[in-house]
Amino acid sequence: MMQHELGITHESIVQEANKYWNATASLQGAQFSNAQRRFGPPNLKMMFVCGQCWRNGQLSEADKNKKYCTAKARHTWAKDKRVVLVSSHERKKWTTVRPRPTKKPIPSQFEICMHVTAGKKCQYIGNCTFAHSVEERDLWTYMKENNIPDMDQLYEQWLQSQKPGWGEEMSNNSFRENGKQIHMPTDYAEEVAGNHCWLCGKNCNSEKQWQQHITSEKHKERVFNSEDDQNCWQYRFPTGTFKVCERFLKGTCTEDDSCKLAHGEQELKEWMERREFLLMKLAKARKDHLIAPNDNDFGKYSFLLKDIK
């Protein structure tokens, strides 16, 4: 964008970047070492509380011996009775985070449940493997990137982070002697570097190879379909004809699953929700440049682009 809008060369961009880096590197290093590095995602505050008290709307942490909670009831401080709460800068409200899904392979990135995105309560019966809040997604991502498999390990590492000197030790490990930062796994947001596809985990060495990758059927299938998606849906995949089958309502439809129309209002409702969900995935892929701008061929997903009444 800089090259296009300002008409400057790659070399000029690098020179300006180097000037900026040299002017700010020492300042950033000083700021980082002065501010204690917090445990967990940088945008979240975290605390562990008594689950029994939390159900009653009370925030009770552990006593100094980690045997009971600090409430008058003095509930036992056991791993199955504590919960982790997080609060983001955007929503200054404590939110419960469920255990990270253990399903393997672990997805390349966690997505938010479509029901929650639509402002509804999750309808999935069982343990929904989609995050139920932005905060939950961020903490799951942090756990994945730092190889923290479960809430017990998260708690143990969080306890370590409360000890004096932890932040100083971490900041010393995070910087080289010249003050330049060594990037930790948590320093990376969703990477959409020029020739790296975070969706497939593939690196491409040239623009031609990249174009071949993002136009491949396998890649485009991944754009719309992750292994966890099937847990969200009860009915057939949408056919692109968003209308209830009148023959089905009369009990005379003989096409069963091959019928192009929805078999009932509930299936039609889910088809509409599913279409919105897929459109969100497509928009995300286009934003991250994982779909060529002029590519509208998505196989069975091409119905998304049709103007269907």
Side-chain angles (χ1 to χ4, degrees):
M1 288 176 65
M2 288 176 66
Q3 188 180 14
H4 175 72
E5 293 176 7
L6 304 176
I8 61 178
T9 63
H10 288 165
E11 291 76 12
S12 298
I13 294 174
V14 172
Q15 286 175 6
E16 288 300 316
N18 283 335
K19 284 181 187 176
Y20 179 79
W21 170 254
N22 292 331
T24 60
S26 57
L27 177 62
Q28 287 176 343
Q31 288 175 342
F32 193 90
S33 57
N34 289 335
Q36 188 182 50
R37 185 183 177 90
R38 291 193 304 107
F39 178 74
N43 64 317
L44 297 181
K45 290 181 181 179
M46 188 188 313
M47 69 186 300
F48 284 83
V49 299
C50 171
Q52 288 173 270
C53 292
W54 174 244
R55 282 195 290 272
N56 298 322
Q58 184 180 1
L59 290 171
S60 302
E61 296 185 86
D63 62 16
K64 63 180 182 179
N65 295 319
K66 306 291 186 290
K67 288 188 176 181
Y68 304 97
C69 76
T70 53
K72 287 183 179 179
R74 286 176 61 80
H75 299 119
T76 305
W77 188 256
K79 65 180 181 180
D80 59 333
K81 292 183 179 178
R82 61 180 178 242
V83 295
V84 60
L85 305 180
V86 294
S87 171
S88 63
H89 299 319
E90 296 75 24
R91 290 198 310 166
K92 301 185 185 300
K93 174 185 175 184
W94 290 110
T95 305
T96 310
V97 173
R98 298 169 300 141
R100 198 193 83 186
T102 55
K103 185 176 179 180
K104 293 185 178 180
I106 300 171
S108 57
Q109 66 167 9
F110 294 106
E111 295 184 10
I112 296 178
C113 174
M114 56 151 296
H115 297 290
V116 175
T117 302
K120 302 174 185 176
K121 188 176 180 180
C122 177
Q123 303 295 317
Y124 180 64
I125 300 171
N127 294 323
C128 179
T129 55
F130 288 84
H132 283 180
S133 67
V134 174
E135 292 83 2
E136 186 167 77
R137 182 197 63 187
D138 290 348
L139 185 55
W140 284 359
T141 302
Y142 177 84
M143 292 173 69
K144 174 192 167 186
E145 291 175 342
N146 289 274
N147 298 315
I148 303 174
D150 52 42
M151 291 308 184
D152 292 341
Q153 285 289 319
L154 182 72
Y155 177 66
E156 292 302 323
Q157 293 194 28
W158 177 80
L159 276 183
Q160 291 296 318
S161 74
Q162 306 302 301
K163 295 180 178 179
W166 181 86
E168 184 181 341
E169 179 185 333
M170 285 297 293
S171 63
N172 287 340
N173 291 337
S174 299
F175 282 82
R176 301 182 195 275
E177 289 181 4
N178 62 5
K180 294 186 179 180
Q181 186 175 355
I182 301 172
H183 290 291
M184 305 293 284
T186 48
D187 294 330
Y188 293 98
E190 292 173 0
E191 259 188 72
V192 198
N195 290 329
H196 174 74
C197 175
W198 54 260
L199 198 61
C200 305
K202 181 177 177 63
N203 289 308
C204 298
N205 297 322
S206 66
E207 184 62 26
K208 182 179 179 182
Q209 191 180 26
W210 174 253
Q211 291 302 323
Q212 287 175 341
H213 173 68
I214 65 173
T215 54
S216 67
E217 288 185 20
K218 187 175 179 181
H219 167 78
K220 286 195 271 190
E221 174 69 22
R222 276 182 174 268
V223 167
F224 295 104
N225 182 41
S226 65
E227 292 184 4
D228 289 331
D229 286 352
Q230 59 198 22
N231 295 333
C232 261
W233 313 109
Q234 301 177 38
Y235 300 100
R236 296 176 297 155
F237 186 82
T239 61
T241 305
F242 292 84
K243 185 178 178 182
V244 175
C245 174
E246 292 183 7
R247 289 184 301 165
F248 174 79
L249 296 177
K250 295 175 183 176
T252 58
C253 181
T254 59
E255 295 184 62
D256 297 322
D257 286 352
S258 60
C259 182
K260 300 291 184 185
L261 303 173
H263 280 182
E265 290 293 340
Q266 288 301 313
E267 184 167 67
L268 178 60
K269 182 173 179 287
E270 184 179 280
W271 281 8
M272 300 294 284
E273 290 178 348
R274 197 162 182 171
R275 181 172 189 246
E276 289 303 312
F277 184 57
L278 292 170
L279 280 170
M280 284 168 52
K281 286 196 166 193
L282 178 59
K284 166 80 172 158
R286 285 205 191 280
K287 180 184 174 184
D288 290 351
H289 308 293
L290 299 182
I291 293 289
N294 58 348
D295 190 352
N296 293 321
D297 181 12
F298 306 120
K300 71 175 184 178
Y301 300 99
S302 292
F303 74 86
L304 295 171
L305 305 177
K306 296 177 184 176
D307 185 19
I308 303 167
K309 301 294 183 184

